[in-house]
Amino acid sequence: MSISHAPPVTEEPDISPVPVPDLDLQPLAPASSRRTRVPRWLRRAAGPVLLLLLWQLLSGTGALPPDVLASPGRIARVGGDMLADGSLPAAMGTSLQRVAGGLMVQARDFLRTDVIVVCLVVYAFLGLLADFVVRSLEKVLLQWRPTFTGR
């Protein structure tokens, strides 16, 4: 005696067919593909540029006094002058020595929040620059990999 657990074989379908009305359906596209895409480099640069604009606006209106923190325009002019007379490399070397020697610790000891803010902004720009360099090198050096998308 054998017992079969298989369902009985029938030629009729279990579900009766449901009539489907003829609808004029349009395929849906995701919202990300419908709108124009802003280039990635522009999205990444928007934050630091807006920060610089805010800094310049606060400096220009007097809300941020020049004895606390100079305006970005003033810093750019002084940097251009130092580059023209050749004193910029020596000043950059001195600044790097101070950073290596613990500028952040000294600034905290003397409650120099302006120095801390400037250092954070400089570090943010250096981080973005390093990211840009690494991504550029990846695009050039990893083109041979079929799985590399280069985004």
Side-chain angles (χ1 to χ4, degrees), residues 24-82:
D24 185 25
L25 299 176
Q26 300 290 330
L28 293 177
S32 61
S33 67
R34 283 184 293 210
R35 62 179 174 238
T36 58
R37 293 207 26 107
V38 178
R40 186 166 191 245
W41 65 269
L42 185 60
R43 285 182 288 151
R44 292 176 61 88
V49 168
L50 288 175
L51 182 64
L52 278 175
L53 289 175
L54 178 66
W55 181 8
Q56 181 64 41
L57 178 71
L58 291 174
S59 296
T61 59
L64 189 60
D67 59 333
V68 172
L69 188 62
S71 70
R74 174 81 176 136
I75 292 171
R77 282 191 299 278
V78 170
D81 293 344
M82 291 177 75

Side-chain angles (χ1 to χ4, degrees), residues 17-134:
V18 177
V20 178
D22 187 22
L23 300 175
D24 185 25
L25 299 176
Q26 300 290 330
L28 293 177
S32 61
S33 67
R34 283 184 293 210
R35 62 179 174 238
T36 58
R37 293 207 26 107
V38 178
R40 186 166 191 245
W41 65 269
L42 185 60
R43 285 182 288 151
R44 292 176 61 88
V49 168
L50 288 175
L51 182 64
L52 278 175
L53 289 175
L54 178 66
W55 181 8
Q56 181 64 41
L57 178 71
L58 291 174
S59 296
T61 59
L64 189 60
D67 59 333
V68 172
L69 188 62
S71 70
R74 174 81 176 136
I75 292 171
R77 282 191 299 278
V78 170
D81 293 344
M82 291 177 75
L83 187 62
D85 68 10
S87 63
L88 185 63
M92 291 293 288
T94 302
S95 294
L96 289 174
Q97 287 175 353
R98 287 180 181 168
V99 168
L103 179 61
M104 295 299 288
V105 173
Q106 293 172 2
R108 187 194 66 207
D109 290 341
F110 295 111
L111 299 174
R112 298 285 313 263
T113 56
D114 56 338
V115 175
I116 293 172
V117 169
V118 170
C119 287
L120 289 174
V121 171
V122 168
Y123 289 156
F125 280 114
L126 289 175
L128 288 173
L129 178 66
D131 183 56
F132 172 75
V133 168
V134 168

